[in-house]
Amino acid sequence: MSSNLLNATIGELQKLLESGKVSSVELNQQFVDHIEKHNSEVNAFIFVDKDFILEQAKASDERRSSSSLLSSLDGIPIAIKNNIAIEDQRLTCGSHILENFVSPYDATVTTRLKQQGMVLYSGLNMDEFAMGSTTESSYFGATSNPWNTERSPGGSSGGSSASVAARFVPVSLGSDTGGSIRQPGAFCGVYGLKPTYGQVSRYGLVAFASSLDQIGPLSHSVEDCAKVLDIIAGHDERDSSSYPTLDINYLQEIQNLEDYRPRIGIPKEYFAHDIDPEAAKAIDAVIDFYKTKGCEVKDITLPNTDLALSTYYIIATAEASSNLARFDGIRYTHRSGEAKNIMDTYFMSRGEGFGEEVTRRVILGTFALSSGYHDAYYSKAQKVRTLIRRDFETAFEDIDLVLTPTAPTPAFKKGENADDPLMVYLNDIFTIPVNLAGLPGLSVPCGFTQTGLPLSYQLIAPYFKEEHLLKTAKLFEDAHDYHNQHPQF
Amino acid sequence: MSEEPTLDIDYVAQLARISLTEEEKARYAKQLSKVLGYFQELAAVDTEGVEPTAHANPIFDVMREDVAVDGLPQERALMNAPKQLDGEVVVPKVIE
Amino acid sequence: MNKFEPVIGLEVHVQLSTESKMFTNAPYYFGAEPNTLTNAVVMGMPGTLPVLNKRAIEKTIQVGLLLDCEIPRQSKWDRKHYFYPDMPKNYQISQYDQPLCVGGEVEIELEGESRNVMGPHRYVKLTRIHLEEDVGKLTHLGDISVVDYNRAGAPLIEIVTEPDIYSPEEAYAFLTSLRSTLQAAGISDCDMEKGQLRCDANISVKPVGSAKLGTKVELKNLNSITGVRNGIAYEIDRQTRDILAGGTITQETRRWDADAEMTYVMRTKEEAHDYRYMPDPDLMPVIITDEWKAELAKGLAEKPFDRQRRYMDTLDLPYTITSVLCQEPELCTFFEETLTIHKNAKAIANFLVNDIQREIAEASHDEDQKVLADFAITPGILAELVALVDKGTISNQIAKEILPEIIKNGKSPATLVKEKGLEQSSDSGELELICQDAIDNNPKPVAEFKAGKEPAINALKGQVMKATRGKANPKMVDDILRKLLS
C-alpha cells in the first residue's frame, strides 16, 4: 500500500481520500516520511516544513468530515518551486541573498491552490534565481537526478522534476524562462508544461526574465497536468500580462481522443543539431507512432531557430539584471556584515549574496543595456525576437503542433562544462524559442537510454492551444507505459 | 557589434553594484567575451523595419481603477529588514 | 557691465492627487506614520508586479490638454535604473521614448509697470510630460540614515520645459502659473511644503546675443517657489562671475542650500548615471483614443489666465482683484456660484479677495493650512449679505463687521442683522436730530468746513456713525449734514 500510494496519480489519490481508506494527514505523512528518508540523496527540497504540511492536511480532513470540501483536489499534495511566494514561508530562490527571506504574501497560483484545498509543500530546490539548466547553481547544494544520482535532474526546476520523479510528491509547480520546466521534466522522465505566456499569473513568481517567465506543472500523467492547469490558468488583475480567462476545461478536453488526429510539423532546423543517438532514435519512434495513428506529419522550417540562443541570452540577462537590482541589502535581503557605508552595503551584500552564474548573467545583462551597447545588443535582440515569433506564426498556418526533441541529450553528469557557460547555454537550444515566441510547450516522457536515463520529446502549440499539447501527449501516453516507471529507492 | 566586443568589467560591475575580486573579474571577462563573441551572429541579421518585441503576447490598456486598499501593516512591511528603527529601515549614512 | 544672459530649462515634478499609488492599490496621503502606506509591491518584494492606475493616466492626459501638448496615440513605461535606498526596486518605472504628452506651452505673466497694471504675457515651451512613480523619503540621523517608503510609488508627473526661460523672475512666473493651472483643474494640490511640487533647473549663461548655449549646470533642491527664484539667481551670478574671472563652467549637478544661500557640487559629469532604460516588461502599452481624449477634455477647468481675461472683460473686474482671485481656484468657484445668485461681481469679488481671504489666513497656521471649504459660509450666504448692502438694509461697513462671524457659523446675514438690530437707519427725522447733535457738539470741524475745508465733514460723519453704531446710511448722512451746514 505504501509504495502504491507514493506512485499514485492525483486521480488515484483522490479516489483513496474519497473512499475514506486514508485521511489527508495519513496520506501526506507518507509523502513526508518518504521525503525525510530520501531527500538527502536527491536534495530536491531546500527545506521541508512538516508542520506547515500536516496542518494543511489536518484542515482538509476537518473539511472532509464536515462535508465542506473546497474541491475534489482537497487534501492532495503539491510541491512548489522556491521562487513562488507562499505567505509566511521562506522564499529563497536558491540564493544566499534571500536565504532568510520570509514572504509576507501569497502568489496568485498559491492562492488558487489554497482555494482548492491542496496541501502545499514549500522549499523545492532550484538553480539560483532560476538561472541554469542543472540545479547546480543553488546556494543550498545541487539536486540529483533520482534515476541516477550522479546525473543532473536538469534545471532550473530540478527540485520540481526530481521531487515528482522520486515520488516525494505526486505533482509540482516549476517556472520556465528558457526551458526550466520542460528540460528538467525530460531529464527526470515526467511531464513538464510551460503554458502560453499570459496564461498563468506571474504575480508572486520571483522574476528572472519577466517577458519570458511562466509557471507550469510537472506531473506523472497528462491528466494530472491538465488538472493543475485548470486551477492555475486564468486572468489575474495583479499581472498586467495576464490574458482573459479562456472558456475551457483541460481535463474535459483530454477525455475523448478517438477522432483527434492533429497535424504535426517537424522543424528541420532542430534536427540539424547534434542529437544524442539514443534520443534521436526515440524521437523517430514517436514520429512513427503518430504517423501510425493517422496523424498528418510534415516537415516544416523555422529558419531563425539558430538565432534564438543569442537572442534569448541577451534579453533574459538584460531583464534579469533589472529584476535582480532590488536585492540590495537594504529592505529585506542579506546585508553584508562588513559593509561600513552605503556603497559597501550594495557591493558587498550583492557580491556575497549572488552566486557565480547569477553574477555572470547580471554582468552580461547590465552590459547589454549599458550606454553604447544598448542598440547593438538589447534592441537588436528584441527585433530578432520578432523574427523568431513570425517563424512560428507562419508554421502554424497549416499545422496544429510542432514536435521536437526537448534537449539534445539525456541528463548530463553533474559538474559537466562547469567552466564553460556557453556549452551549458547551448543545451537550451530546443526550448528557448518557445519562450521567445511566448508559446506553450510540453515535454513528454518517451523512453529510456540503455543506461536507464529518461528520454523525452517536446510538443509546441499555437498561443493558448494547450489542449493540443495535452491531447497529443495523451494519445502517446495511452499507448505507452513510460510515464508509469519510476526510479527505485 | 561587428567589431570584437569588449566588456569593461570594472565599469559594468560598478553599474551592477557587485563587488568582484581580481580573479573573478579576469575569469568573468574571459568567459563573457566568448559569449559575446557568439552573440556576434546577430549583427549580420537584417532587421531593417522589424518592430522590436518587448512583450511575448502584447495586450493593451491594462489598467486598474484608482481605489485604495490597505496594504501591509508596518511590522509586516519591515519583517525582513536587516535593521530598523522606529518603523523605518536603517541604512548606513547616505551622503547627498 | 553684465555681458551675459542666462538660459534656463525647468524639470518640475508634480504629485498627482489620487487615492492609490501609480502601480499598486496601496493608499497614499501626506503625513502618515512611516511605512504604513505600503504593500508588497511598494516595498519591491520579490515576485510583485505593477498595474497602471487609470486615474493617474487620465489626469496626466488632462494636464497635456490644458497645456496644449500633443497626446500621442500610444504610450508606454520604461525602467530607469540607478541604485538608491529610497527606491525599492532600484529602478524607477518612468517613461522614456513614448511619454503621455509631447510639446505644449505654459502662459506666464511677467512683471508689469506697477502692481496695478497687467504685465506682458508670453508662452514658455514644453518638451514633454511623462508619468512615473515617486520614491520614498530618506532622513539623515547622525551616522545613519532611515528610510520611509510611504511616498514610494505615488504617481508623479515630470514636466520638462525647453530651455526657454530667461530670468529667475520668469522661472518664478512659470511655476506660479503652472501651479494655479494644475490646482484649478484638480490635478494636484501642488503644496511645495509637502513635496507635491518639486523643481530642478538646468541653467547656463552665454554672452548676450550669442546663439550658442553655454555649458549647463543642473540645480537641485529648489524646494520652494522663492527657492527657485533665489537659487537660479545665485547660480546665474556664480556662473557669470566664474566666466568673468577667466574660469570655465563644468557640466555638473549642484544643490541649492537655502539656508546658506549658495549652491554646491553634488556630482560631476564623470559620475553621471547610465540609466539603462528598457521597456518595462511587466506593463502593457496604453492607447489613447480620440474618444478618450474628448471625454477627458469635457471636465477640464478653465485656465487661470483665460478666466482672468474673462473676469476683466465681461465682468469689468479690476486687474488687481482678478490677479489675486484667479490664483485661487477655490475662490473662483465660490465667486461664480455666488454670482449666479446675486449679480454684483465687484462687491462679491471684493469680499472674497479682501475680507474672506484675510479670515482664512488668520485661521491658518504652518501645520494647519485652512481653505474656504473649512468654513461654514456658502455662496448663498455671501450673496445674501451683498444683497443686503445693495438694498441699503445695511452699510458696507456693517457687512464687513459681521462677515467674520458669518464665515465661521454660516448664519443667515438677514437674521443676524435683525437679531442685532443692525438695519441701516433710514428714518431721516431721527437722523436729522443726530446730525444736528453732532454739529452742535463739534464746533471745530464745523468751522473748518464752513471755511472751505471739505474733508472736515468726515469728522462729523464719524460722530454720526458712532452714535448710530454704524447703522446710518452714509449717503443720507452726507446729504443731511450738508443741508444743515448750508
Side-chain angles (χ1 to χ4, degrees):
Chain A
M1 152 100 185
S2 162
S3 67
N4 268 347
L5 187 152
L6 296 176
N7 290 331
T9 63
I10 291 179
E12 289 158 355
L13 294 174
Q14 284 174 299
K15 285 197 189 103
L16 274 174
L17 287 173
E18 280 160 22
S19 71
K21 282 180 193 150
V22 295
S23 67
S24 179
V25 168
E26 288 165 339
L27 184 152
N28 281 284
Q29 185 68 56
Q30 285 202 36
F31 281 106
V32 170
D33 289 347
H34 186 52
I35 295 168
E36 288 189 330
K37 201 167 160 199
H38 293 291
N39 191 48
S40 60
E41 297 156 57
V42 183
N43 200 27
F45 285 93
I46 296 168
F47 58 91
V48 180
D49 188 340
K50 196 172 159 180
D51 291 344
F52 175 61
I53 294 164
L54 295 177
E55 267 169 37
Q56 296 173 79
K58 189 161 163 268
S60 172
D61 285 335
E62 282 164 9
R63 287 192 293 269
R64 194 172 293 278
S65 62
S66 66
S67 301
S68 55
L69 286 177
L70 295 170
S71 76
S72 63
L73 292 165
D74 204 321
I76 302 287
I78 182 166
I80 313 292
K81 188 176 181 178
N82 206 214
N83 61 349
I84 298 172
I86 303 175
E87 190 174 352
D88 288 326
Q89 289 286 300
R90 283 167 65 204
L91 182 61
T92 69
C93 298
S95 181
H96 179 36
I97 206 161
L98 287 175
E99 186 173 4
N100 298 309
F101 177 77
V102 175
S103 175
Y105 78 103
D106 273 333
T108 296
V109 292
T110 304
T111 305
R112 291 189 178 167
L113 295 171
K114 282 181 174 176
Q115 283 166 350
Q116 300 290 315
M118 290 190 83
V119 176
L120 309 184
Y121 289 47
S122 53
L124 281 180
N125 205 358
M126 54 185 284
D127 277 304
E128 186 180 3
F129 287 110
M131 296 180 193
S133 38
T134 63
T135 317
E136 289 174 296
S137 72
S138 170
Y139 175 71
F140 305 95
T143 299
S144 302
N145 193 317
W147 294 94
N148 178 341
T149 52
E150 304 285 297
R151 302 263 164 176
S152 163
S156 66
S157 307
S160 305
S161 62
S163 63
V164 174
R167 267 55 184 174
F168 289 166
V169 281
V171 66
S172 68
L173 289 187
S175 68
D176 190 318
T177 305
S180 281
I181 289 174
R182 290 159 289 154
Q183 181 256 21
F187 280 16
C188 289
V190 299
Y191 291 90
L193 172 68
K194 183 209 94 83
T196 309
Y197 187 82
Q199 172 77 287
V200 178
S201 169
R202 293 182 296 115
Y203 187 79
L205 167 66
V206 180
F208 159 14
S210 314
S211 76
L212 303 161
D213 297 339
Q214 194 63 186
I215 295 172
L218 295 96
S219 70
H220 293 307
S221 71
V222 173
E223 191 173 290
D224 287 359
C225 208
K227 283 178 179 169
V228 175
L229 184 62
D230 277 327
I231 299 169
I232 62 175
H235 181 69
D236 177 16
E237 60 185 22
R238 286 180 297 184
D239 175 1
S240 304
S241 61
S242 161
Y243 259 63
T245 305
L246 302 172
D247 184 19
I248 191 166
N249 180 294
Y250 295 103
L251 187 58
Q252 286 298 319
E253 288 287 323
I254 57 171
Q255 296 309 317
N256 186 358
L257 302 177
E258 234 159 78
D259 301 322
Y260 182 68
R261 295 295 177 268
R263 296 165 301 164
I264 299 171
I266 310 294
K268 63 175 189 201
E269 291 81 6
Y270 284 62
F271 292 85
H273 279 267
D274 280 341
I275 300 173
D276 173 87
E278 285 186 280
K281 211 175 132 196
I283 300 282
D284 286 342
V286 170
I287 293 171
D288 284 344
F289 166 80
Y290 284 116
K291 280 182 182 162
T292 313
K293 265 277 169 188
C295 300
E296 185 189 332
V297 178
K298 60 196 267 185
D299 290 334
I300 59 159
T301 174
L302 296 166
N304 292 295
T305 298
D306 284 347
L307 300 173
L309 194 76
S310 296
T311 305
Y312 171 81
Y313 274 94
I314 292 168
I315 290 171
T317 58
E319 290 185 11
S321 73
S322 171
N323 288 325
L324 269 59
R326 68 187 63 194
F327 306 118
D328 58 1
I330 304 289
R331 289 165 311 285
Y332 51 73
T333 61
H334 161 77
R335 181 185 291 183
S336 173
E338 306 292 309
K340 299 271 189 296
N341 58 47
I342 191 72
M343 272 300 164
D344 280 0
T345 303
Y346 290 131
F347 279 91
M348 298 171 81
S349 303
R350 288 164 66 79
E352 293 164 14
F354 291 148
E356 188 169 328
E357 183 60 22
V358 170
T359 301
R360 197 154 41 220
R361 294 201 196 187
V362 169
I363 297 276
L364 186 57
T366 303
F367 170 77
L369 288 174
S370 67
S371 172
Y373 299 96
H374 191 285
D375 288 350
Y377 288 90
Y378 182 70
S379 303
K380 183 77 180 184
Q382 281 195 313
K383 288 178 184 167
V384 178
R385 184 176 181 180
T386 305
L387 300 179
I388 292 165
R389 280 181 50 152
R390 285 185 194 160
D391 278 1
F392 281 103
E393 280 164 13
T394 308
F396 281 127
E397 281 169 12
D398 49 10
I399 53 168
D400 299 312
L401 293 146
V402 172
L403 191 154
T404 77
T406 310
T409 66
F412 30 74
K413 285 205 181 95
K414 291 195 277 186
E416 261 182 26
N417 296 319
D419 289 328
D420 193 347
L422 187 58
M423 284 308 292
V424 179
Y425 297 170
L426 282 164
N427 283 299
D428 301 337
I429 187 75
F430 299 148
T431 47
I432 56 181
V434 176
N435 299 78
L436 287 171
L439 297 166
L442 176 69
S443 63
V444 185
C446 66
F448 292 89
T449 64
Q450 293 198 333
T451 57
L453 295 174
L455 294 168
S456 160
Y457 66 97
Q458 172 179 238
L459 295 170
I460 305 165
Y463 296 115
F464 299 102
K465 294 290 182 192
E466 279 80 353
E467 66 271 25
H468 280 308
L469 301 178
L470 297 169
K471 287 155 89 172
T472 307
K474 188 78 164 49
L475 282 178
F476 186 81
E477 182 185 277
D478 286 345
H480 299 84
D481 195 33
Y482 302 121
H483 67 289
N484 278 332
Q485 305 194 24
H486 49 89
Q488 296 304 316
F489 276 100
Chain B
M1 198 155 66
S2 50
E3 307 227 331
E4 191 60 27
T6 48
L7 189 151
D8 180 347
I9 190 89
D10 285 314
Y11 175 71
V12 178
Q14 174 76 23
L15 273 184
R17 299 283 189 274
I18 300 181
S19 61
L20 297 177
T21 63
E22 289 308 314
E23 183 277 323
E24 285 169 328
K25 282 181 194 169
R27 183 154 43 91
Y28 290 141
K30 188 165 166 251
Q31 288 170 338
L32 292 177
S33 74
K34 194 172 165 190
V35 173
L36 291 176
Y38 187 88
F39 290 173
Q40 291 292 98
E41 66 180 12
L42 293 191
V45 182
D46 181 7
T47 51
E48 188 69 38
V50 177
E51 278 292 303
T53 293
H55 299 97
N57 297 320
I59 33 183
F60 293 92
D61 301 336
V62 182
M63 293 173 272
R64 61 182 179 82
E65 295 302 321
D66 179 31
V67 177
V69 176
D70 281 339
L72 291 171
Q74 189 188 68
E75 65 276 14
R76 291 284 282 172
L78 302 182
M79 73 184 195
N80 291 290
K83 211 170 169 192
Q84 52 178 295
L85 175 71
D86 298 335
E88 302 203 52
V89 176
V90 174
V91 296
K93 187 171 182 69
V94 179
I95 300 143
E96 283 178 275
Chain C
M1 178 63 219
N2 188 356
K3 299 172 297 186
F4 291 87
E5 59 189 6
V7 178
I8 302 158
L10 296 180
E11 289 169 16
V12 183
H13 284 97
V14 178
Q15 246 178 33
L16 301 179
S17 54
T18 53
E19 296 297 314
S20 65
K21 294 190 177 181
M22 185 56 230
F23 298 111
T24 179
N25 60 12
Y28 179 67
Y29 48 88
F30 183 81
E33 287 294 302
N35 293 306
T36 56
L37 304 178
T38 77
N39 60 20
V41 183
V42 173
M43 295 303 283
M45 293 283 180
T48 57
L49 297 171
V51 184
L52 296 166
N53 180 337
K54 186 178 182 188
R55 191 74 198 107
I57 292 170
E58 292 183 332
K59 285 198 164 191
T60 308
I61 295 169
Q62 286 185 317
V63 175
L65 294 171
L66 278 168
L67 304 182
D68 296 317
C69 304
E70 182 205 336
I71 314 289
R73 189 173 153 74
Q74 182 170 325
S75 191
K76 71 171 173 73
W77 278 262
D78 303 271
R79 296 180 179 180
K80 176 183 181 182
H81 300 89
Y82 61 96
F83 283 80
Y84 214 71
D86 61 9
M87 198 166 60
K89 302 180 293 297
N90 289 316
Y91 60 78
Q92 180 188 30
I93 306 177
S94 183
Q95 300 195 281
Y96 181 55
D97 56 350
Q98 290 184 28
L100 278 164
C101 314
V102 175
E105 55 193 18
V106 172
E107 183 177 4
I108 64 169
E109 178 176 346
L110 306 174
E111 220 170 296
E113 287 164 21
S114 80
R115 283 186 165 278
N116 304 331
V117 181
M118 185 189 272
H121 283 220
R122 80 170 182 89
Y123 291 87
V124 171
K125 286 193 177 60
L126 300 181
T127 310
R128 56 186 272 161
I129 303 172
H130 64 254
L131 176 57
E132 59 189 22
E133 58 180 337
D134 209 341
V135 296
K137 195 164 170 44
L138 262 174
T139 310
H140 308 295
L141 306 171
D143 57 356
I144 59 164
S145 299
V146 294
V147 203
D148 169 15
Y149 294 100
N150 279 348
R151 197 178 66 180
L156 195 68
I157 53 172
E158 182 173 338
I159 300 166
V160 184
T161 78
E162 292 285 293
D164 189 29
I165 295 170
Y166 304 98
S167 70
E169 290 70 31
E170 283 194 4
Y172 180 88
F174 175 86
L175 278 181
T176 50
S177 168
L178 181 68
R179 183 172 62 173
S180 58
T181 305
L182 299 182
Q183 284 172 336
I187 302 294
S188 169
D189 294 336
C190 294
D191 187 337
M192 285 188 96
E193 302 255 311
K194 294 180 182 168
Q196 292 165 344
L197 189 151
R198 309 195 283 270
C199 182
D200 299 332
N202 288 305
I203 304 160
S204 63
V205 298
K206 63 180 176 64
V208 171
S210 162
K212 192 166 168 280
L213 291 179
T215 306
K216 77 176 177 190
V217 167
E218 187 179 5
L219 187 56
K220 290 192 175 286
N221 200 39
L222 302 168
N223 287 335
S224 68
I225 292 205
T226 47
V228 171
R229 186 159 54 183
N230 296 343
I232 291 174
Y234 175 89
E235 184 56 24
I236 292 167
D237 199 43
R238 182 195 70 84
Q239 291 184 20
T240 309
R241 267 188 283 119
D242 280 9
I243 294 171
L244 288 174
T248 51
I249 302 303
T250 318
Q251 187 173 342
E252 61 194 6
T253 302
R254 298 178 74 90
R255 189 181 161 87
W256 167 244
D257 184 332
D259 295 328
E261 296 193 332
M262 59 180 293
T263 65
Y264 61 89
V265 181
M266 280 175 79
R267 58 174 175 267
T268 59
K269 194 193 175 193
E270 286 69 43
E271 303 161 48
H273 296 295
D274 183 344
Y275 289 126
R276 290 160 283 140
Y277 279 101
M278 61 175 260
D280 193 325
D282 292 330
L283 291 167
M284 296 295 155
V286 168
I287 303 291
I288 299 108
T289 60
D290 289 344
E291 293 73 32
W292 195 13
K293 267 191 276 186
E295 195 58 40
L296 292 171
K298 268 187 208 164
L300 273 187
E302 191 178 17
K303 284 191 274 188
F305 283 130
D306 292 341
R307 180 174 246 160
Q308 187 177 8
R309 279 185 282 266
R310 180 166 62 86
Y311 286 179
M312 291 172 71
D313 295 348
T314 65
L315 300 175
D316 203 25
L317 293 182
Y319 168 76
T320 43
I321 291 277
T322 56
S323 64
V324 178
L325 188 59
C326 294
Q327 290 299 311
E328 304 289 339
E330 197 196 15
L331 292 186
C332 290
T333 310
F334 198 96
F335 167 74
E336 295 192 13
E337 280 178 39
T338 310
L339 197 60
T340 61
I341 308 169
H342 184 76
K343 308 243 176 275
N344 184 343
K346 269 187 192 159
I348 295 167
N350 258 315
F351 276 119
L352 275 167
V353 166
N354 296 315
D355 306 271
I356 293 177
Q357 259 213 326
R358 187 173 54 241
E359 286 301 315
I360 296 172
E362 277 174 12
S364 297
H365 308 282
D366 281 351
E367 292 299 304
D368 183 22
Q369 292 296 320
K370 298 284 185 201
V371 294
L372 187 48
D374 296 329
F375 296 87
I377 190 166
T378 63
I381 292 168
L382 180 59
E384 189 181 318
L385 184 71
V386 178
L388 286 176
V389 176
D390 288 350
K391 274 189 287 182
T393 313
I394 57 171
S395 65
N396 205 47
Q397 178 63 27
I398 290 288
K400 281 176 182 287
E401 278 172 26
I402 63 173
L403 194 55
E405 189 179 343
I406 291 171
I407 290 172
K408 286 176 198 113
N409 63 19
K411 212 163 180 175
S412 153
T415 314
L416 193 69
V417 163
K418 240 181 220 123
E419 278 174 12
K420 297 198 168 182
L422 298 172
E423 291 99 333
Q424 195 155 248
S425 175
S426 301
D427 180 336
S428 55
E430 191 195 340
L431 205 52
E432 215 168 296
L433 288 176
I434 297 169
C435 287
Q436 192 57 57
D437 230 30
I439 290 168
D440 295 347
N441 293 323
N442 295 282
K444 197 178 162 214
V446 171
E448 283 173 3
F449 179 77
K450 289 190 170 167
K453 198 176 170 193
E454 174 71 20
I457 195 169
N458 289 334
L460 298 172
K461 282 186 196 168
Q463 289 301 317
V464 176
M465 294 313 273
K466 197 174 162 191
T468 60
R469 286 162 50 229
K471 292 187 292 181
N473 185 326
K475 178 85 175 59
M476 282 178 72
V477 174
D478 189 71
D479 291 348
I480 295 168
L481 281 173
R482 284 180 195 278
K483 191 183 82 188
L484 294 174
L485 290 168
S486 64

